[in-house]
Structures are given as structure tokens and as C-alpha cells.
Amino acid sequence: MKVTFQIWRSDSNGGQLKDYQTEITEGMVVLDAVHQIQAEHANDLAVRWNCKAGKCGSCSAEINGRPRLMCMTRMDQVPVDKPVTIHPMKAFPIIKDLVTDVSVNYRVKKRIKKFKPRKPDAADGTWRMAQSDIDRVQEFRKCIECFLCQDVCHVLREHDLHEKFAGPRHMVYTAALEMHPLDVEDRTEDLKKQEGIGFCNITKCCTTVCPEKITITDNAIIPLKERVADRFYDPLFRFFRLFTKKN
């Protein structure tokens, strides 16, 4: 069956959708179709990909207006009675065609305080941790850095506040550190001032598009917001904080 695709062709100076037709067969994903178009009609079509297994996060794009991984979007799940549109991620500058410049994410990640373990609590130099505490942070480790959550976040998508709001991916990264049973670093002030957690109004759009099904809003962002609220807006907590250490 022949299917029409409208693929964004551009460079940093602008661009437009261009129509392509290609034959779709059983079992194909959108990335297969893009590669087929690349081979048959547009050898210079720029598209980023690597593993084709939903684990590298490279082939992020907007398919019919929805941020998704092209390698995990099956053609039998996409309506083909009208052209299938493929745009690059809107929240990032376009390099060429479907490839965007996501380097701001790596700059933001570098400024987050790294893991700082507490002193070993056993004679053999190891630590003791409750399994429930370990399980809590394992969810956040599933992030493949596809940046679809960053792309769909309206704070970044509509207002371009990358330097003021770290975004959901980095809230997940921070949560993985903050909630780690061994970590003793304090990032609460950075969450408020540097990462701009106050910009998030918990619409849960980031959770909706996550291919790894990480519950970003409920399990990462809201608990971090609570820590910031306790520290800066709860007078009793601020008083007792003077006499306690981070757990």
C-alpha cells in the first residue's frame, strides 16, 4: 500500500513540508518508512537514529503533531487515509530536516550537583539500604534521554526558557539523585533558583509522552516541589531545619 508522507525539509534558515510517497508493508515502523524515502527519493534527508529499538532516544520527532519515537511508532497505529506528517521537535533549534540541536540539555545537566554518598555505615566499608528506597529511584534510571518530555513541555516549547527551567528530563535526573538512599547532597535551593521548578504547573504532558512510562509528574516533579515548598515556604520546617541534617 502506498502512503503519502509530509516530511519537514529545512535548515536553520527555515523550511517547509514536502510530500513523498512510499510503499508500506506489514511490520514497518515510521522510521522504516523514513529510511525508505531517504533511499528512494531524498538521499540528503537528515534524520538522527541509532539503535532502532527504543533505547537510544535518538529518533525523536513529531508524528502527526505528537512527540514520539519514530522507531517505536508502528505504521499500523498511524492513520494513513491522509498524509502522515513528520516534524522535528519544536522545542529545539533545527539543524537540518528532522535533526534538532539538543545540546542545551547536556549543558543544563552539567550544572546539577552530582551524586555525593554518605559515609559507609558498616565495618567492611559498605552501606545498608532498604529495598523500598532502592526501588523508588530505579524508575528514574529508565530515562533514555529522548527529550520528548522536554519537547512537549509548554514552558520550553512555547516560551523557550531552557536556561531558566531545567525541564522534566532534568527533574527526573535530580529526583534520582535526591531520593537515592545514599545521597547527602542538598539541591533544594538549586531546584528553586537554578532549575526553576516553580515554572512547572504539573499538566502531566511530559508523563503522557514518555516512552519508558516514567511517572515524571507524580513521582519526580511533585515530590521535588514539596521539598522546595517545605524549605522555603513552611516556617516551622525552616526553623527545625536549623537543627537537623538531610535524611
Side-chain angles (χ1 to χ4, degrees):
M1 177 179 62
K2 286 248 180 185
V3 174
T4 300
F5 289 81
Q6 292 183 333
I7 300 178
W8 186 257
R9 300 301 310 272
S10 69
D11 55 28
S12 58
N13 297 316
Q16 61 185 355
L17 288 171
K18 186 171 181 180
D19 288 1
Y20 298 97
Q21 276 199 332
T22 193
E23 190 75 24
I24 297 301
T25 56
E26 185 177 359
M28 287 182 70
V29 295
V30 170
L31 184 60
D32 292 326
V34 170
H35 283 164
Q36 197 161 282
I37 290 168
Q38 192 181 46
E40 296 173 348
H41 307 293
N43 300 140
D44 61 341
L45 172 61
V47 55
R48 183 181 283 137
W49 70 284
N50 188 18
C51 73
K52 201 181 171 187
K55 292 303 176 185
C56 73
S58 299
C59 63
S60 300
E62 298 187 9
I63 303 168
N64 288 341
R66 180 184 172 89
R68 307 178 76 172
L69 292 177
M70 289 189 285
C71 72
M72 298 302 289
T73 305
R74 301 184 65 84
M75 284 305 305
D76 58 14
Q77 299 173 341
V78 179
V80 294
D81 55 332
K82 55 184 178 181
V84 178
T85 63
I86 307 178
H87 285 86
M89 289 190 288
K90 184 179 179 179
F92 303 104
I94 295 174
I95 296 175
K96 186 177 187 297
D97 301 335
L98 301 180
V99 177
T100 53
D101 181 3
V102 297
S103 59
V104 63
N105 294 291
Y106 304 112
R107 295 197 300 272
V108 170
K109 189 175 181 180
K110 281 183 179 181
R111 73 190 189 200
I112 298 172
K113 291 177 181 174
K114 303 302 184 259
F115 178 70
K116 181 179 178 181
R118 58 178 166 81
K119 294 181 179 180
D121 53 14
D124 61 357
T126 59
W127 295 267
R128 299 296 178 264
M129 296 177 284
Q131 186 62 47
S132 58
D133 289 336
I134 298 171
D135 293 340
R136 186 183 188 189
V137 298
Q138 286 307 305
E139 176 187 15
F140 307 136
R141 302 294 180 181
K142 296 191 298 181
C143 177
I144 58 174
E145 295 197 323
C146 61
F147 305 124
L148 292 178
C149 60
Q150 300 284 95
D151 181 47
V152 79
C153 174
H154 66 90
V155 178
L156 303 177
R157 186 183 182 89
E158 304 297 337
H159 305 288
D160 191 24
L161 293 175
H162 288 275
E163 298 300 334
K164 295 183 178 180
F165 176 51
R169 186 285 170 270
H170 303 294
M171 296 302 163
V172 167
Y173 177 66
T174 303
L177 296 168
E178 277 288 294
M179 299 176 193
H180 195 289
L182 297 184
D183 183 72
V184 293
E185 186 60 88
D186 187 356
R187 304 172 186 83
T188 309
E189 185 172 353
D190 289 346
L191 279 167
K192 181 178 184 292
K193 298 179 180 179
Q194 179 176 276
E195 296 188 45
I197 195 170
F199 282 105
C200 175
N201 60 1
I202 57 175
T203 57
K204 300 190 179 184
C205 49
C206 51
T207 299
T208 302
V209 301
C210 179
E212 289 295 312
K213 309 300 181 186
I214 302 172
T215 314
I216 300 172
T217 309
D218 291 347
N219 292 353
I221 295 178
I222 291 177
L224 293 178
K225 274 180 169 284
E226 291 172 344
R227 293 186 181 206
V228 171
D230 285 344
R231 170 71 64 83
F232 293 98
Y233 305 107
D234 184 337
L236 288 177
F237 184 89
R238 293 178 68 182
F239 176 77
F240 284 112
R241 181 73 182 181
L242 296 174
F243 305 98
T244 60
K245 296 181 179 180
K246 177 183 172 183
N247 294 323

